[in-house]
Amino acid sequence: MVHADASNFAPGVTKEDAYEQVLLQAEGLFYEQRNWVCNLSNAAALLWHAYKSLPSPSNAVNWAGFYTFDTLSTPAQPQLILGPFQGKVACQTITFGRGVCGAAAATGKTQLVPDVDAFPGHIACDGDSRSEVVVPIVVGGKVVAIVDVDCAVKDGFDDVDRVWLEKLAELIGNSCDWPQ
Ligand code: SME
C-alpha cells in the first residue's frame, strides 16, 4: 500500500542513507507498476524530499526530475522531452548534444557539473541553478531518459550523488515500460 510517509526522511540522515531510502522506497513503489509516468513521478518526489531533508548544499536543490527520449523526434535530430519533476517549470524539449542534459543523452555518460556557468552550452531553464548532475537511463544500449538534478549553489554534487543516482537510473531503467 503506497503511503506518503515513504517520502519522509529522518532528521540528521546522511546523504548515503537518504539515497538508500530513496532506492528502497522506489523499489517498493515500482512493484507491479511499470508505467513510466507513474514511476518517474514518484521517483522525483522521493528525490526532492530526500534533498530537502539534508544539510547544505543538498537542501539547495532547486530542480529534480526527468527528461525522456522524445519518440516524435527524428533520428537526424533526436531530442529529450520534459518528464515528471519537482521544481519550477522547465524547458520542454532539449536536442541531444545541447546543454548538460543533451550531453548526457548524446554520450550516455553521467555529467557532474560543479559550475554550470563554466559548462559550454548550459541551458539556463532556471537562472538560480549553479551546479547540476545528469545521469542517463540506458536500456538495451539506448538512452530512454535522463535524471537531472540542479542545485542553487556551486559544487552541489559529488561522487556520492553520482554513484547513487546511477544506481537509481539502473533501477528505473529496468522498472518501466518505455515509450517506443
Ligand atoms: N540546465 C539543463 C536544462 C534542464 S533544466 O536545468 C531543468 C541543461 O543544461 O541541460
Side-chain angles (χ1 to χ4, degrees):
M1 170 73 173
V2 173
H3 198 283
D5 282 349
S7 42
N8 289 344
F9 293 80
V13 72
T14 65
K15 189 157 77 171
E16 287 85 346
D17 286 348
Y19 273 122
E20 191 175 11
Q21 184 178 332
V22 167
L23 253 87
L24 285 170
Q25 295 295 352
E27 247 180 326
L29 289 160
F30 299 166
Y31 180 68
E32 293 187 341
Q33 177 54 258
R34 293 191 57 83
N35 181 280
W36 66 271
V37 178
C38 176
N39 288 348
L40 295 186
S41 301
N42 273 332
L46 286 171
L47 284 173
W48 182 260
H49 288 285
Y51 293 124
K52 294 301 157 189
S53 74
L54 291 170
S56 177
S58 302
N59 61 4
V61 162
N62 62 325
W63 203 91
F66 300 89
Y67 281 82
T68 60
F69 178 77
D70 184 358
T71 53
L72 296 180
S73 62
T74 61
Q77 197 182 55
Q79 69 178 18
L80 298 165
I81 186 157
L82 184 63
F85 69 94
Q86 302 269 312
K88 292 185 182 172
V89 296
C91 321
Q92 290 142 308
T93 57
I94 298 177
T95 306
F96 274 42
R98 267 200 73 217
V100 187
C101 294
T107 61
K109 300 260 182 300
T110 296
Q111 308 290 311
L112 189 59
V113 181
D115 177 1
V116 293
D117 293 325
F119 189 95
H122 167 252
I123 305 163
C125 285
D126 182 348
D128 285 347
S129 300
R130 287 286 162 271
S131 55
E132 181 163 2
V133 58
V134 181
V135 177
I137 299 175
V138 183
V139 177
K142 183 175 178 269
V143 174
V144 294
I146 58 97
V147 190
D148 180 19
V149 190
D150 289 19
C151 187
V153 298
K154 283 184 189 172
D155 293 308
F157 307 100
D158 58 19
D159 271 333
V160 173
D161 298 285
R162 174 206 293 271
V163 165
W164 284 95
L165 288 172
E166 287 178 351
K167 288 187 203 192
L168 180 65
E170 196 183 344
L171 171 67
I172 290 171
N174 292 330
S175 303
C176 301
D177 295 325
W178 298 99
Q180 304 285 335

